Amino acid sequence: MEPTLSPALRQEIETAYSRIQDLPFPIYASDKSGNFLFANEQAVDFFILDRTRDLSSYNITNYYEDAKERDYILRQLQNASLGTWHNNLTVRLKIHDEYRKIRFVSQPFRDESGTLCGLLCIALSMSDIEWFAEFEEMVHTGFFEVDHNLVIVDCNHTFADVLKYGSPAEIKGKPLEDLFWETDKIAALAKEIRKNPHLTDRQLKLRRKDGAMVVVKMSCIGIAGETEGIARVKGSIHDVTFEIIQNDLPVGLFLVNTNRQGEEIISSANLTFAHIHGYESPNEILSKPISQFHPNRAAYEAFKTELNKAAANQQSLLDYYMEIQDKQGRRRNVVANVRYVAEENQHLRVGAVYDVTDHVRGHTRTLEADFSSILHTYIATINGLRDTLSMLMKAHGEDLLKDETHIDRMKAAADAVRCKKRLEEALKELNAIAEERNEGVEHLARLSKLTQKLPLGETGSEREKDNAALSRRILLEIRKHLDGLRRLNLPREMLRNLRTEVDEMLRLTSMVSLSISLDELNERIPDFYYFRDYLRRGEIVQQELKPHNLIPIVMDAVRFLDEFAAINRVSMVLQFSQRDHIPVSCHKNSLNRAFHNLLHNAIKYSWTKGQDRQPWVNLRIEQKGDTVEITIENWGVPIRREELESGSVFQFGRRGRESEDRGRSGTGIGLYDAQDIISKHGGTLRITSEPTFGNLPDMYSNPFITRVHITLPIAK
Amino acid sequence: MTIKLLWIDDNLFHDLTEKRMALYMQDDIEPHFALDATEAFYRLRNEPFDVVIVDLRLPPGPDDMWNTYRENNFQKFGYALLNAIMGPQKDQFEHLRETRFGVFTIEAQEENPELFDDPILLAEDNFKVKTHAYHENAFIEFIRHVYKSLH
């Protein structure tokens, strides 16, 4: 027995027990720890107690299905008022393997300090109906009953709550007309119930007490009367107003939770969220790590940084614009509003995302159209500049011309070296005179120094352009000093000859620079053209594809790139008959752009180590059954194995690791665009890049054979 | 007194040729050049310079040390370079303690706040925006200014 249970308190409990022990229910008293103090006959039978044993050897806690439940009851009674009975305590007991549902009617007893020391209890068995009826008030479902006059005769608290009434009593007696938003639908509903008494999840609009509308899902059953078809209707409702908002709002809603492994996973999402991310239903996206929908780790980290920054200031992250990657790997543009759920230590966040892809694409289209116009003008200007440079080269370098577009740089270099020698000799001679006359000695010393600095004579090296530019600067400086000497007492004729040599060297170095600049322009102009055409591209619409002969489309690209190939000293080997007719259903301009780009790449990235043969590009076209196979093959800059395996070479804006070799320019759009075009024509595009004979697979400094394999269906 | 300069920019042989040539003409500047982050990293690791001018939008070059940046579609390898030599790998660059760093780039200062934070701590005056009208003499003066700047 509890030592705290004083004799006086025990006496008090016993007195209370003796007053009710004859009632026809199991009645017992226990101390705080649950040891039985007293028990009537019914209690002994109910708990199946051994009459020969000391009653205090039994403990009520051992009969609880869950022992913790008794602690809960004690806590409830600790705060209950003294001298009153409490009947709201229902528990499930386990008595000799049999579960019994019990409602305890209990009276607490406390010591002088107010601590609970004992209980007097009546244990009432509950039927299943009574047991479950309790839940009516506990679950968040509204229960109601309507009589044959369509008047509410009964309901629970939740029903009253949904309709914003203070209590069930306030709503009882109200006709359905007062509760329906669309009263004209009551008659039809009643008729339907008469016809089919079981209705499930019927969506209804109800009117709240404050006049606002609430949307509910109602299930009900019509109960037949003795004289009439349906005497009353019982049913349940639950508020789905927010479910409707959640499911029908054209905004993606989500909940992200951090699991035990620290991974952030999608725990809840609506249909729009699933669709934005490429899934058919919300269930498919649940449990997926949210980070997989960010295009890369850095983008995800950037988003988290901004979210945490906002959270540190007790704010939500609002209107955060970002790119996501859906299930199929397609990029979409979204705006997100996100915040951490309070008291979850940043382990739970809730948010909404708007898909603004079409909006962004619209803007991008406008930008592309504007930019393509500017680029078009720019290309025209560059072409004009190229022609002017070409004419200047012809006008001032006629003696140096090797062909229509190139000068003989070897000859130019040799001529410049001869000029320099003559200049040095003339300066030596002039210096002797200057020293004799003590005139302009400093100028001449500077001139000699500058002349020595002249980097002439190197051709074919990467420094050729630099040397020409530096020589020009030095020669301009020399010319300035020569002009300074004209005021002094030095032989005019010698000065004129010196000036002539300098002017000639300036002409020669300028011709070299012009020629190099022309080569550079010619190399880049196809890039500009391609990029302009990409910006001006139209959408490929499947229905608008028309049959065209593939050969002229390919040949257009070949001819356009003839000059580029010649400048790069790459030969194009065509392994097909130009008289063939291979019809393909296509968008002609797009297909032309794809071939233009793939051939341009093949030429641009070609080189060989052998001196005996210039680099070449093989272009093969073969009909195989109902498809045509086009292969573009070149030797030169490799594409790394991992870039091919991961498909990164086909990603928008991504250039291969080796593609910048020797300053080769590019946009990183070409392969993405070509693959997109070919796939929209129902074809395939595959690339291989393998080491040339005997070379190791990862030695990317050696030339590789790169092959682009394209298949297209032949039009019937 | 000669300023030993390393200028790191992938356009040195294109639109920066004339500025580069102007450097050769200066008696007080000994110019050296690097075209990507890898080349610059090894040049800087092997020898001291008085002034280093960096473009932010650099190509990474062949070294695998930039792979993490590369995988994330990062563009500013000039920043990655500065961060590497002043941050995680600074022990290898003790000989650059007296080196002054400058940034010459097409981007605005506001777009690169991280340059002015630890570990780079670039002085604001050592940041210059490339514009088509930025004259070569102004550029040479910028280099001299960086040389005279405090750490």
Side-chain angles (χ1 to χ4, degrees):
Chain A
M1 191 182 290
E2 283 277 308
T4 49
L5 191 65
S6 64
L9 199 55
R10 187 184 168 84
Q11 180 62 48
E12 190 186 335
I13 295 172
E14 189 173 0
T15 308
Y17 166 74
S18 61
R19 276 204 292 268
I20 62 164
Q21 65 171 324
D22 294 332
L23 290 173
F25 306 108
I27 296 170
Y28 72 93
S30 70
D31 64 14
K32 186 189 175 184
S33 56
N35 295 323
F36 279 87
L37 299 174
F38 314 104
N40 67 1
E41 283 302 310
Q42 285 88 341
V44 169
D45 290 344
F46 183 84
F47 290 107
I48 316 176
L49 306 178
D50 185 350
R51 286 185 168 81
T52 61
R53 278 177 60 185
D54 180 9
L55 201 57
S56 64
S57 66
Y58 291 101
N59 191 303
I60 186 68
T61 314
N62 297 331
Y63 293 94
Y64 276 71
E65 184 192 11
D66 179 2
K68 281 185 213 136
E69 221 171 349
R70 186 161 190 273
D71 296 332
Y72 169 73
I73 286 178
L74 292 178
R75 279 201 302 277
Q76 298 286 308
L77 292 172
Q78 175 67 48
N79 302 320
S81 47
L82 274 176
T84 54
W85 290 91
H86 300 274
N87 66 354
N88 56 348
L89 308 167
T90 54
V91 294
R92 194 141 59 170
L93 299 182
K94 190 180 177 191
I95 298 163
H96 289 270
D97 297 332
E98 188 191 337
Y99 288 100
R100 294 184 189 178
K101 296 170 188 120
I102 299 296
R103 180 189 297 281
F104 278 127
V105 179
S106 307
Q107 187 180 9
F109 293 86
R110 296 191 197 137
D111 64 12
E112 289 171 352
S113 65
T115 307
L116 184 77
C117 289
L119 291 174
L120 179 60
C121 302
I122 307 170
L124 301 175
S125 288
M126 294 175 79
S127 68
D128 283 349
I129 291 173
E130 284 176 303
W131 178 265
F132 287 109
E134 276 212 1
F135 295 124
E136 280 192 19
E137 293 305 339
M138 291 164 72
V139 295
H140 295 292
T141 299
F143 294 103
F144 67 91
E145 190 176 334
V146 177
D147 68 7
H148 67 283
N149 293 319
L150 301 178
V151 170
I152 299 285
V153 291
D154 201 2
C155 71
N156 67 351
H157 275 101
T158 305
F159 186 82
D161 280 351
V162 169
L163 296 169
K164 295 291 171 205
Y165 285 86
S167 69
E170 205 181 325
I171 210 166
K172 281 178 196 169
K174 288 211 177 284
L176 280 189
E177 270 188 14
D178 289 1
L179 305 178
F180 265 59
W181 183 266
E182 296 160 310
T183 49
D184 54 329
K185 290 192 173 170
I186 296 173
L189 186 66
K191 191 176 168 190
E192 198 179 343
I193 292 170
R194 276 197 294 277
K195 204 169 157 191
N196 173 22
H198 291 264
L199 295 184
T200 309
D201 280 343
R202 183 60 57 91
Q203 192 163 302
L204 294 177
K205 290 181 204 157
L206 300 183
R207 185 184 299 279
R208 296 192 332 197
K209 187 184 178 187
D210 58 12
M213 186 190 75
V214 58
V215 184
V216 299
K217 281 270 170 73
M218 181 206 63
S219 298
C220 69
I221 178 167
I223 297 164
E226 287 178 10
T227 55
E228 58 225 308
I230 298 289
R232 54 202 176 98
V233 176
K234 292 174 83 167
S236 65
I237 59 163
H238 65 274
D239 187 347
V240 294
T241 314
F242 271 93
E243 264 177 53
I244 289 172
I245 293 173
Q246 182 186 312
N247 291 326
D248 293 358
L249 197 71
V251 167
L253 302 175
F254 66 92
L255 196 67
V256 165
N257 187 30
T258 307
N259 66 14
R260 283 184 187 172
Q261 289 75 42
E263 201 174 26
E264 294 186 327
I265 55 167
I266 297 163
S267 299
S268 185
N270 69 352
L271 190 61
T272 308
F273 187 84
H275 284 170
I276 290 172
H277 292 78
Y279 291 86
E280 288 296 314
S281 75
N283 283 343
E284 292 174 46
I285 202 170
L286 296 186
S287 301
K288 297 270 186 297
I290 189 76
S291 59
Q292 81 176 55
F293 299 106
H294 291 263
N296 52 56
R297 192 78 202 164
Y300 172 66
E301 295 294 346
F303 163 73
K304 283 297 298 285
T305 304
E306 289 304 311
L307 176 62
N308 292 341
K309 216 188 282 176
N313 296 322
Q314 313 293 322
Q315 287 174 344
S316 306
L317 179 63
L318 297 177
D319 296 337
Y320 183 82
Y321 175 80
M322 62 181 165
E323 207 176 37
I324 60 157
Q325 190 170 276
D326 73 8
K327 184 187 171 191
Q328 291 79 20
R330 291 175 304 224
R331 300 287 176 100
R332 303 199 71 80
N333 309 91
V334 299
V335 171
N337 289 284
V338 192
R339 75 168 299 139
Y340 287 116
V341 175
E343 296 172 15
E344 288 288 343
N345 198 24
Q346 301 199 344
H347 284 160
L348 192 64
R349 62 175 184 264
V350 62
V353 283
Y354 311 85
D355 189 347
V356 293
T357 311
D358 291 342
H359 175 72
V360 171
R361 281 191 186 146
H363 272 269
T364 310
R365 280 273 172 221
T366 310
L367 272 176
E368 284 177 352
D370 289 352
F371 191 55
S372 72
S373 304
I374 293 169
L375 196 55
H376 186 69
T377 315
Y378 176 72
I379 292 171
T381 311
I382 291 287
N383 274 337
L385 180 64
R386 182 182 62 165
D387 293 347
T388 306
L389 292 184
S390 182
M391 288 312 293
L392 281 172
M393 210 168 73
K394 283 176 188 165
H396 297 283
E398 193 187 5
D399 54 323
L400 301 168
L401 283 179
K402 193 164 70 176
D403 55 42
E404 272 296 298
T405 50
H406 297 94
I407 66 154
D408 186 342
R409 290 190 204 155
M410 297 263 280
K411 184 176 185 315
D415 287 357
V417 169
R418 276 195 291 277
C419 283
K420 185 184 173 186
K421 270 191 188 153
R422 287 198 297 270
L423 183 68
E424 282 170 340
E425 281 163 17
L427 275 173
K428 216 180 277 174
E429 208 178 319
L430 186 63
N431 199 36
I433 297 168
E435 280 179 357
E436 202 178 295
R437 295 182 187 177
N438 200 19
E439 285 271 11
V441 178
E442 280 177 23
H443 271 302
L444 280 160
R446 179 73 182 150
L447 278 173
S448 296
K449 210 173 169 185
L450 286 169
T451 310
Q452 280 166 16
K453 274 187 165 185
L454 278 171
L456 299 174
E458 279 187 77
T459 57
S461 73
E462 284 179 15
R463 290 191 56 83
E464 197 178 6
K465 184 180 168 187
D466 270 16
N467 288 343
L470 185 58
S471 296
R472 212 168 34 251
R473 277 180 178 268
I474 294 170
L475 288 164
L476 288 173
E477 182 96 6
I478 290 175
R479 202 165 69 176
K480 203 165 75 187
H481 283 284
L482 283 178
D483 288 347
L485 290 174
R486 276 161 58 183
R487 294 190 304 273
L488 305 177
N489 179 20
L490 290 169
R492 293 285 166 90
E493 186 59 25
M494 284 184 84
L495 287 174
R496 258 199 301 277
N497 286 343
L498 279 170
R499 174 71 191 245
T500 306
E501 296 297 350
V502 170
D503 286 348
E504 176 60 3
M505 273 194 279
L506 269 173
R507 182 184 76 89
L508 293 168
T509 51
S510 298
M511 287 305 111
V512 171
S513 292
L514 275 180
S515 173
I516 294 171
S517 299
L518 262 175
D519 282 358
E520 284 181 352
L521 276 183
N522 282 327
E523 188 167 326
R524 277 165 179 67
I525 281 173
D527 273 338
F528 301 152
Y529 271 113
Y530 165 72
F531 195 41
R532 181 200 60 178
D533 292 347
Y534 176 77
L535 294 174
R536 295 163 116 188
R537 75 198 179 283
E539 286 297 329
I540 301 171
V541 181
Q542 207 68 31
Q543 291 78 10
E544 291 176 4
L545 301 185
K546 288 182 183 144
H548 290 283
N549 184 4
L550 179 70
I551 303 297
I553 296 175
V554 174
M555 285 310 296
D556 274 354
V558 170
R559 286 193 199 102
F560 184 82
L561 291 164
D562 259 349
E563 190 187 356
F564 179 64
I567 290 164
N568 282 272
R569 296 178 180 86
V570 174
S571 50
M572 283 198 272
V573 182
L574 308 181
Q575 298 182 326
F576 58 90
S577 166
Q578 293 181 42
R579 287 190 299 274
D580 277 355
H581 184 91
I582 305 173
V584 289
S585 197
C586 67
H587 189 276
K588 200 175 167 185
N589 289 346
S590 300
L591 210 50
N592 182 272
R593 193 172 75 242
F595 287 120
H596 170 176
N597 179 264
L598 294 169
L599 277 171
H600 180 230
N601 276 353
I603 298 165
K604 184 165 63 174
Y605 295 121
S606 284
W607 64 277
T608 63
K609 277 189 171 173
Q611 298 296 318
D612 52 333
R613 187 179 169 183
Q614 71 179 50
W616 71 99
V617 170
N618 274 336
L619 178 55
R620 200 166 46 244
I621 301 179
E622 294 167 285
Q623 291 190 60
K624 289 188 175 174
D626 51 4
T627 59
V628 55
E629 201 171 288
I630 306 114
T631 310
I632 301 167
E633 176 187 300
N634 76 304
W635 283 41
V637 179
I639 302 177
R640 287 180 173 237
R641 191 170 41 184
E642 64 268 22
E643 291 171 336
L644 287 170
E645 283 170 0
S646 68
S648 66
V649 282
F650 293 108
Q651 283 176 13
F652 187 89
R654 285 286 281 269
R655 296 188 70 200
R657 285 270 296 267
E658 307 298 326
S659 63
E660 282 173 1
D661 174 70
R662 293 159 209 226
R664 289 171 169 90
S665 62
T667 57
I669 299 173
L671 279 182
Y672 160 84
D673 185 36
Q675 195 189 41
D676 185 49
I677 292 169
I678 298 297
S679 71
K680 281 178 178 158
H681 282 81
T684 60
L685 190 154
R686 191 167 55 85
I687 298 183
T688 59
S689 192
E690 293 158 353
T692 45
F693 306 113
N695 287 323
L696 293 169
D698 293 333
M699 282 296 290
Y700 295 117
S701 51
N702 287 320
F704 271 48
I705 308 171
T706 300
R707 291 189 186 92
V708 180
H709 304 273
I710 302 156
T711 61
L712 284 169
I714 295 174
K716 289 177 180 145
Chain B
M1 190 66 192
T2 307
I3 302 170
K4 189 177 173 188
L5 165 77
L6 180 67
W7 185 10
I8 310 155
D9 198 309
D10 58 322
N11 279 325
L12 287 169
F13 289 83
H14 301 124
D15 54 337
L16 297 171
T17 297
E18 291 302 329
K19 282 191 180 58
R20 199 159 47 83
M21 289 306 117
L23 290 175
Y24 281 121
M25 299 297 288
Q26 307 308 310
D27 291 337
D28 62 338
I29 296 176
E30 179 194 326
H32 298 259
F33 305 99
L35 294 169
D36 59 49
T38 300
E39 188 187 354
F41 183 90
Y42 290 105
R43 286 291 302 266
L44 287 167
R45 204 178 64 172
N46 294 337
E47 56 183 310
F49 290 92
D50 298 310
V51 171
V52 175
I53 301 292
V54 186
D55 177 27
L56 291 180
R57 286 192 178 266
L58 277 182
D63 202 286
D64 285 341
M65 80 173 104
W66 316 110
N67 280 0
T68 318
Y69 288 99
R70 216 190 307 259
E71 282 157 15
N72 291 326
N73 216 8
F74 192 77
Q75 305 284 329
K76 297 183 191 176
F77 285 89
Y79 166 74
L81 171 73
L82 290 173
N83 192 54
I85 63 178
M86 294 185 198
Q89 301 184 56
K90 67 177 176 192
D91 293 349
Q92 301 176 51
F93 297 91
E94 281 292 311
H95 55 283
L96 299 183
R97 209 178 300 135
E98 297 301 318
T99 303
R100 276 76 160 168
F101 288 85
V103 167
F104 187 52
T105 183
I106 55 165
E107 293 185 37
Q109 196 165 315
E110 300 75 48
E111 290 174 83
N112 297 282
E114 62 276 10
L115 285 175
F116 307 97
D117 289 338
D118 198 42
I120 300 172
L121 295 171
L122 189 79
E124 287 200 11
D125 284 352
N126 288 9
F127 185 101
K128 208 47 109 189
V129 179
K130 270 184 204 171
T131 64
H132 70 282
Y134 194 63
H135 194 266
E136 60 191 42
N137 290 341
F139 177 62
I140 289 161
E141 278 315 306
F142 172 60
I143 290 166
R144 290 185 181 126
H145 162 80
V146 172
Y147 177 65
K148 286 178 200 153
S149 67
L150 296 171
H151 284 285

